[in-house]
Amino acid sequence: MGRLAVKRPSTSTPCRFYCAKCHHEFSLVTVSSHMLMPGLLKHELEVAMVSLGVIHDRTYAWDIFKDMLWTQRQHTFPSAELPKPYSGKMLAILIDWLIQVHAVLDFAEETLHLTVFLLNRAVRLLKVPVCSLQLLGVVCLFLASKKEECLIPEVSELCHLMENAYTKGQLLKMERKVLCILKFELSYTSPHHFLLLLTTIARCSVKMVWMARYLLELTLIEGECVVYQPVHLAGAAIQLARCVLQEPPLTYIGNSIFLGSEASLLAIMKTLALAAARAPMGNTHATFLKYASEETMCVSKHPALICAVGLLKLPGMQS
């Protein structure tokens, strides 16, 4: 496996990587929106959104993207710290179970990301005993499905998935509590949306998209990722996927689209690399199993993920 060396960046150049095996040099380009090429970027966004079925009228593509960049800033948390009596491990186990339920119900990826976002908000605003944490998670999944899915599960089905530990009345009562504490604000600019847009614009390979999706889903269990903007999470997942698969450099416009600071991108990449290395072990491996199938090109089993942190070869990123 080729290892990556880092060329120390100057104050005016991005952090560059060189892969000794495939002889490709690439960089984390961190620019602000006003530095992008407006004409080319607008065209690429239009083409990407139409091909993804997001819009039918290209006129609004640029306005939608700017709104996504603006609203996603409201979807971060000032701190990853959880109120007592909750712990990061406790929430990670619940989210891992919700990922399994999400797969059983065959919901869209947007539903999963919205579920976890609502859960992270709810546990910080609503006082719920630990014994009712599973009920809170299912209610968040129920609300997310109402917003994202065409067909939603029956309340009795959700109770059955919890082995009837809670009644229909308890679930509906918790739903009212969550809606009130969240002030009925259920919108979320998902990192999954940014990932699909960025990989389409950058013309990434199918395997790279699956790898990026896998790495992005790992952020749901990593509690520290709630402080980062969705576009940063998506950009870091794509960059790490390219590093792991040792794919050739993206197009110029594909590189330029990664908005955010270099420090935040590298920090997220470190978190994802560590998460991917330990994913096969422990109590939270639902995402690993999900992306270990032939349908997802077995990306979670890629041997380079075991040593992903060392592969990056970045200062402060050694395991």
Side-chain angles (χ1 to χ4, degrees):
M1 183 65 63
R3 301 184 72 82
L4 298 181
V6 178
K7 295 185 177 181
R8 292 283 183 175
S10 67
T11 55
S12 59
T13 58
C15 184
R16 296 187 178 279
F17 301 82
Y18 176 76
C19 178
K21 182 176 180 180
C22 58
H23 305 295
H24 286 138
E25 185 178 78
F26 55 95
S27 61
L28 288 178
V29 181
T30 55
V31 295
S32 57
S33 57
H34 71 274
M35 295 170 61
L36 299 174
M37 299 173 292
L40 181 56
L41 179 57
K42 287 182 180 181
H43 173 73
E44 293 290 342
L45 276 171
E46 291 171 1
V47 173
M49 287 188 175
V50 170
S51 65
L52 292 170
V54 177
I55 58 173
H56 299 288
D57 187 346
R58 297 188 178 192
T59 307
Y60 304 104
W62 183 246
D63 292 325
I64 291 173
F65 184 68
K66 287 194 297 183
D67 184 68
M68 288 173 64
L69 290 176
W70 176 258
T71 56
Q72 56 119 19
R73 298 177 184 177
Q74 306 168 24
H75 299 152
T76 61
F77 296 84
S79 170
E81 186 177 353
L82 291 169
K84 294 181 180 181
Y86 310 121
S87 67
K89 184 177 180 181
M90 189 185 301
L91 205 61
I93 292 174
L94 173 60
I95 293 172
D96 187 77
W97 179 78
L98 288 172
I99 291 172
Q100 298 176 56
V101 173
H102 170 270
V104 169
L105 296 174
D106 196 27
F107 283 162
E109 288 300 306
E110 291 84 354
T111 305
L112 177 60
H113 284 270
L114 178 57
T115 297
V116 177
F117 174 67
L118 295 178
L119 178 61
N120 276 311
R121 287 179 61 197
V123 295
R124 287 167 169 81
L125 298 173
L126 189 63
K127 291 183 179 181
V128 175
V130 173
C131 61
S132 298
L133 194 57
Q134 183 185 34
L135 177 62
L136 178 62
V138 170
V139 164
C140 290
L141 178 65
F142 191 35
L143 290 173
S145 69
K146 288 183 176 181
K147 192 171 188 304
E148 298 289 347
E149 303 292 334
C150 296
L151 299 174
I152 61 174
E154 295 287 341
V155 175
S156 58
E157 183 181 0
L158 295 175
C159 291
H160 176 72
L161 290 171
M162 294 185 287
E163 298 182 340
N164 294 310
Y166 309 95
T167 65
K168 296 181 185 179
Q170 287 176 308
L171 191 148
L172 294 174
K173 184 178 180 180
M174 179 66 77
E175 181 186 29
R176 289 193 295 273
K177 286 183 178 180
V178 173
L179 284 172
C180 290
I181 201 68
L182 298 183
K183 300 179 181 179
F184 288 80
E185 296 175 359
L186 305 180
S187 297
Y188 180 47
T189 305
S190 168
H192 182 70
H193 293 153
F194 283 112
L195 184 142
L196 293 180
L197 276 175
L198 299 180
T199 52
T200 302
I201 291 172
R203 296 170 176 79
C204 297
S205 67
V206 175
K207 189 168 187 178
M208 184 171 163
V209 175
W210 279 120
M211 179 64 76
R213 288 178 63 174
Y214 168 58
L215 295 171
L216 182 63
E217 190 165 309
L218 290 176
T219 65
L220 298 178
I221 295 178
E222 300 298 318
E224 60 194 275
C225 289
V226 299
V227 301
Y228 297 109
Q229 295 180 21
V231 70
H232 297 167
L233 295 174
I238 295 169
Q239 290 286 15
L240 183 57
R242 182 157 65 95
C243 173
V244 170
L245 297 176
Q246 297 185 356
E247 294 214 353
L250 306 179
T251 61
Y252 182 81
I253 191 67
N255 256 329
S256 300
I257 196 69
F258 297 118
L259 306 175
S261 70
E262 180 182 302
S264 65
L265 286 177
L266 296 183
I268 299 168
M269 289 173 71
K270 175 185 176 180
T271 300
L272 293 183
L274 290 170
R278 62 173 179 261
M281 305 168 285
N283 298 322
T284 54
H285 50 256
T287 297
F288 171 81
L289 296 175
K290 176 180 175 180
Y291 287 88
S293 65
E294 292 185 2
E295 181 183 356
T296 58
M297 303 184 74
C298 304
V299 291
S300 65
K301 293 182 178 180
H302 196 286
L305 289 173
I306 302 300
C307 56
V309 178
L311 185 67
L312 287 172
K313 204 68 177 175
L314 289 170
M317 295 184 69
Q318 305 302 317
S319 57

